[in-house]
């Protein structure tokens, strides 16, 4: 990898993106979650139930000329049968899922008039999301490496492509995971251009995520804040202010998305006659998801501890089915060990990464406990975006120091 040290940063990012993209798409790790694909019946590896909301919504808008709604739909067999049926579907209003709009426009522009042809477009969009996810992830990690003088960054594509959560969610059209990393990557890219990242720009880049949906809102807000903190100039206070501004910008994007959703419900949904009723329609399940323990283990009870044991024993990073394989618990312990060892000498960036790892991971368990406990497969996604991403940043720092120390030791003093 020595030849990469003198290469242009954009070229290195593209090379690393290609390697990570291969790992995510072709999955040599053989990562597989049977319940999520109904043992291979449906296309998505981890959560076909959400994937087919988007797929069937796009198909209905393209193939059914009577559907003029902007809202997603459940087909008549959902959730037992995820196939597309032209009749018997019904809309739901918890998320806008506006990623369906460009897909529908593309399908109509290409004159796709059969279900098979629409499937081909949706397959392309799955690959596009995987590519953008790897591009944004590598941009963020390589921007961090450049910012902190890390020369030995060869682990980057394997940290991205080996992340189990990224492997599982790289192709899911409902979550469209690239949007989660887009604000953090935008800040890293702007910093690489020695340009500012104003609040309005961050809000606009974050807005597509919330127009897609509201799941894991705390994580995108904290991740964007972390990125702003890592790439800001100045002392600790200046970086903290930058992180707070980025956090507020994401909250602003969230508020705008909510307003858009409420207005669309008020305008287009029959029987909704006021903004207050539109608000109730949009967030009818919010209390259940965020303020109940319905159908899930009680917090810190025996069943909860058993569930977390199973989750933390799941794979967090892998490259081959029987080779390198690190569990979530091992990643947690490694990050905690690094925090303990470096507590007195940690740089500001390290402290921010340590804090982000555990605060962001815990946030969704705190603010949407029923939701994350009910959908066990979301653990991979949440963990990949929080503790695993922090682990990747720290790994770049410590691998670089280790390699530099080894090179110095074995090459001897310069002549």
């Amino acid at each position: 990898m020595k030849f990469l040290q003198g290469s242009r940063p954009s070229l290195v990012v593209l090379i690393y993106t290609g390697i990570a993209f291969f790992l995510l798409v072709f999955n040599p790790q053989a990562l597989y979650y049977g319940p999520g694909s109904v043992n291979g019946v449906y296309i998505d590896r981890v959560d076909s139930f959400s994937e087919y909301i988007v797929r069937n919504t796009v198909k209905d808008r393209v193939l059914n000329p009577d559907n003029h709604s902007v809202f997603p739909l459940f087909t008549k067999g959902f959730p037992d049968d995820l196939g597309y049926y032209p009749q018997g579907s019904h809309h739901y209003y918890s998320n806008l899922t506006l990623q369906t709009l460009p897909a529908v426009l593309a399908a109509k522009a290409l004159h796709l008039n059969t279900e098979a042809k629409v499937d081909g477009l949706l397959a392309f969009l799955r690959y596009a999301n995987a590519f953008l996810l790897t591009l944004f992830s590598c941009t963020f990690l390589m921007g961090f490496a450049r910012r902190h003088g890390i020369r030995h960054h060869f682990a980057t594509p394997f940290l991205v492509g080996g992340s189990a959560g990224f492997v599982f969610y790289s192709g899911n059209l409902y979550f469209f995971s690239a949007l989660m990393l887009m604000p953090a990557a935008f800040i890293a890219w702007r910093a690489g251009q020695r340009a500012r990242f104003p609040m309005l720009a961050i809000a606009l880049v974050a807005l597509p995520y919330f127009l897609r949906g509201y799941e894991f809102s705390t994580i995108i807000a904290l991740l964007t804040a972390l990125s702003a903190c890592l790439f800001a100039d100045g002392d600790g206070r200046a970086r903290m202010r930058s992180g707070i501004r980025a956090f507020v910008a994401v909250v602003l994007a969230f508020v705008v998305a909510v307003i858009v959703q409420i207005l669309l419900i008020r305008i287009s949904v029959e029987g909704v006659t006021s903004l207050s009723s539109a608000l109730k329609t949009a967030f009818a399940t919010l209390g259940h998801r965020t303020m109940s323990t319905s159908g899930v283990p009680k917090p810190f009870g025996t069943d909860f501890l058993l569930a977390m044991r199973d989750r933390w024993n799941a794979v967090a990073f892998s490259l081959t089915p029987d080779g390198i394989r690190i569990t979530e618990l091992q990643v947690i312990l490694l990050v905690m060990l690094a925090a303990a060892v470096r507590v007195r000498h940690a740089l500001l960036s390290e402290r921010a990464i340590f804090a982000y790892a555990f605060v962001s991971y815990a946030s969704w368990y705190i603010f949407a406990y029923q939701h994350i406990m009910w959908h066990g497969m979301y653990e991979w996604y949440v963990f990949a975006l929080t503790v695993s991403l922090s682990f990747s940043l720290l790994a770049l720092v410590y691998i670089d120091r280790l390699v530099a120390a080894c090179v110095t030791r074995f090459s001897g003093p310069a002549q």
Side-chain angles (χ1 to χ4, degrees), residues 70-124:
V70 298
F71 291 97
L73 56 79
F74 290 127
T75 49
K76 67 178 182 180
F78 205 90
D80 300 313
D81 181 355
L82 306 183
Y84 169 64
Y85 300 97
Q87 293 81 32
S89 61
H90 63 279
H91 292 94
Y92 83 106
Y93 306 102
S94 297
N95 286 327
L96 280 172
T97 323
L98 279 189
Q99 68 268 42
T100 58
L101 181 59
V104 170
L105 293 176
K108 291 184 176 181
L110 295 170
H111 305 290
L112 306 181
N113 55 9
T114 67
E115 188 174 351
K117 291 179 180 179
V118 176
D119 278 332
L121 172 64
L122 294 172
F124 170 79

Side-chain angles (χ1 to χ4, degrees), residues 286-310:
L286 180 64
H288 176 73
R289 291 302 193 191
T290 62
M291 301 177 67
S292 79
T293 57
S294 174
V296 298
K298 296 294 187 289
F300 303 108
T302 302
D303 290 339
F304 167 80
L305 297 176
L306 291 174
M308 296 310 297
R309 180 200 63 184
D310 292 340

Side-chain angles (χ1 to χ4, degrees), residues 353-367:
I353 293 167
F354 291 139
Y356 170 77
F358 299 109
V359 172
S360 59
Y361 177 67
S363 66
W364 203 247
Y365 279 91
I366 294 172
F367 293 106

Side-chain angles (χ1 to χ4, degrees), residues 308 311-317 326-333 361 379-381 383-384 387-388:
M308 296 310 297
R311 293 183 181 197
W312 288 352
N313 282 328
V315 61
F317 288 95
I326 306 175
T327 67
E328 289 190 4
L329 180 59
Q330 289 168 336
V331 172
I332 291 172
L333 293 176
Y361 177 67
E379 166 70 16
W380 275 300
Y381 191 47
F383 197 85
V387 184
S388 286

